Amino acid sequence: MDVVDRINKLKEEKNAIILAHNYQPKEIQKIADFLGDSLELCIKAKETDADIIVFCGVDFMAESAKILNPDKKVLMPEIEGTQCPMAHQLPPEIIKKYREKYPEAPLVVYVNTTAETKALADITCTSANADKVVNSLDTDVVLFGPDNNLAYYVQKRTDKKVIAIPEGGGCYVHKKFTIDDLKRVKSKYPNAKVLIHPECNPELQDNADYIASTSGILRIVLESDDEEFIIGTEVGMINRLEIELEKLGKQKKLIPLKEDAICHEMKKITLEKIEKCLLEERYEIKLKKEVIEKAQKAIERMLNI
Ligand code: 13P
Ligand code: SF4
């Protein structure tokens, strides 16, 4: 039996499900039961009747799965180096400062935050629903963090005042893309449609054909009649696009905006680590009960929109 067969056998014996984010390495995506963006993974985690959720992604995603399934065992195949740096940019002490300054403004936090931060938020959002979430609130001013670029995206789609917190917050992978990168790639592929993730800098967003979350990018590539796309997000997304195009027997040209746009935290998981994770039931996500209860309210409020 090879490692994939052994994983499948263990999964069956333990009634486990493997959820994986669109940025995971291709071999992980291929064995996952469900692939998706942050929002889809939250929904799937809530719906599953598996006893064990093996989460292949970064810390905040596995924590969201635990928050939505407090009675289930949520495991990550690797715990070292799988912390999304942006998720740690909005700690409780910074929130307190802004809450004091803007006592009337609700706090919207990106799901790319720790469980403790979610517990202090009024509502969460993902890149697939951030504008909808902000527009659903009954106030003129909102605090929004930690991604300043996603805040820019939302500001363009709402009449409310969006206060981005903390100053300079954002993703080191998406902030790497520059307008010169786009000009260079576009000059080589002038007919390619430009797909940009809302974590990218404003000038990239302003020059995109489409701005979308990873699931939005997938939908556009699969459904559009266009044949060439410049992919302005983490390179793992190309794995997901290739897998889905192959299933449909389609071929399209996928050009990474930058070959080295790699989220290192997403690449720590291997098939061997998944096998060990299932065998030893490690590494279990554990959160305090009161944090789960409060964070759950903020996530559920988003899911109900
Ligand atoms: P998506 O929700 O679009 O998959 O984004 C998650 C993420 O971490 C992007 O960097
Ligand atoms: Fe975090 Fe950026 Fe990696 Fe997404 S791509 S998980 S935001 S570091």
Side-chain angles (χ1 to χ4, degrees):
M1 253 202 277
D2 68 8
V3 64
V4 173
D5 293 333
R6 294 197 299 273
I7 289 172
N8 285 332
K9 188 165 173 279
L10 281 163
K11 243 173 47 184
E12 227 180 281
E13 283 167 14
K14 300 199 175 203
N15 188 26
I17 186 174
I18 299 180
L19 304 185
H21 186 262
N22 291 329
Y23 295 160
Q24 283 292 295
K26 200 165 198 170
E27 66 277 13
I28 308 293
Q29 294 205 18
K30 282 193 161 166
I31 56 124
D33 296 291
F34 186 80
L35 289 166
D37 72 355
S38 313
L39 179 62
E40 292 169 330
L41 293 169
C42 273
I43 295 169
K44 193 70 190 175
K46 194 170 141 67
E47 287 171 355
T48 182
D49 51 13
D51 296 316
I52 295 179
I53 298 174
V54 175
F55 209 105
C56 301
V58 288
D59 59 347
F60 73 84
M61 298 178 176
E63 284 186 358
S64 298
K66 181 67 187 174
I67 291 163
L68 293 168
N69 294 279
D71 301 329
K72 290 195 174 130
K73 205 170 235 186
V74 178
L75 306 173
M76 276 189 89
E78 178 57 274
I79 207 78
E80 260 182 47
T82 48
Q83 286 75 29
C84 162
M86 173 160 58
H88 297 262
Q89 290 172 353
L90 193 56
E93 56 277 17
I94 296 187
I95 294 178
K96 193 168 171 268
K97 208 178 82 190
Y98 283 103
R99 286 281 206 194
E100 278 164 10
K101 201 166 165 199
Y102 301 98
E104 303 301 327
L107 172 63
V108 181
V109 301
Y110 196 17
V111 282
N112 299 38
T113 43
T114 62
E116 284 74 19
T117 292
K118 288 187 183 80
L120 296 175
D122 293 286
I123 187 165
T124 63
C125 74
T126 75
S127 51
N129 62 17
D131 48 344
K132 256 194 225 139
V133 166
V134 168
N135 281 320
S136 76
L137 300 170
D138 194 16
T139 54
D140 295 331
V141 181
V142 298
L143 291 170
F144 188 100
D147 190 341
N148 291 189
N149 289 341
L150 186 61
Y152 173 85
Y153 170 85
V154 173
Q155 185 63 84
K156 291 223 139 182
R157 287 158 182 80
T158 182
D159 294 332
K160 298 179 197 302
K161 184 173 160 56
V162 179
I163 301 171
I165 62 168
E167 206 179 311
C171 161
Y172 76 97
V173 183
H174 289 83
K175 280 170 56 162
K176 258 190 199 171
F177 298 119
T178 65
I179 197 70
D180 289 338
D181 294 325
L182 184 56
K183 281 185 190 152
R184 197 175 46 249
V185 182
K186 190 78 184 158
S187 69
K188 225 170 144 193
Y189 301 96
N191 298 323
K193 290 284 181 249
V194 178
L195 304 183
I196 293 292
H197 194 279
E199 286 180 14
C200 293
N201 295 322
E203 62 272 27
L204 273 300
Q205 296 189 29
D206 294 346
N207 285 283
D209 290 302
Y210 302 96
I211 308 168
S213 71
T214 58
S215 61
I217 290 176
L218 174 67
R219 252 191 315 276
I220 294 160
V221 169
L222 295 186
E223 289 171 11
S224 116
D225 292 332
D226 293 300
E227 293 294 325
E228 286 188 358
F229 299 91
I230 295 168
I231 308 297
T233 190
E234 206 272 345
V235 289
M237 185 61 208
I238 297 198
N239 298 326
R240 177 75 203 276
L241 294 168
E242 283 174 353
I243 289 173
E244 300 304 328
L245 284 167
E246 204 180 304
K247 281 187 201 160
L248 297 172
K250 281 190 186 173
Q251 273 191 339
K252 295 203 180 192
K253 181 126 189 95
L254 308 170
I255 307 128
L257 178 50
K258 222 175 165 68
E259 300 267 3
D260 66 348
I262 297 169
C263 173
H264 298 288
E265 291 72 20
M266 280 278 180
K267 311 299 179 199
K268 296 281 191 295
I269 295 171
T270 62
L271 291 174
E272 289 68 27
K273 287 179 187 174
I274 294 178
E275 182 186 11
K276 208 159 181 157
C277 163
L278 279 162
L279 262 176
E280 297 176 11
E281 300 193 9
R282 70 170 202 185
Y283 298 95
E284 189 174 354
I285 304 294
K286 292 206 168 131
L287 298 170
K288 287 190 192 125
K289 196 169 169 268
E290 62 271 24
V291 169
I292 290 185
E293 280 168 6
K294 287 187 184 152
Q296 202 178 62
K297 282 198 188 118
I299 299 181
E300 294 280 4
R301 195 171 166 199
M302 165 186 80
L303 293 177
N304 286 335
I305 286 175

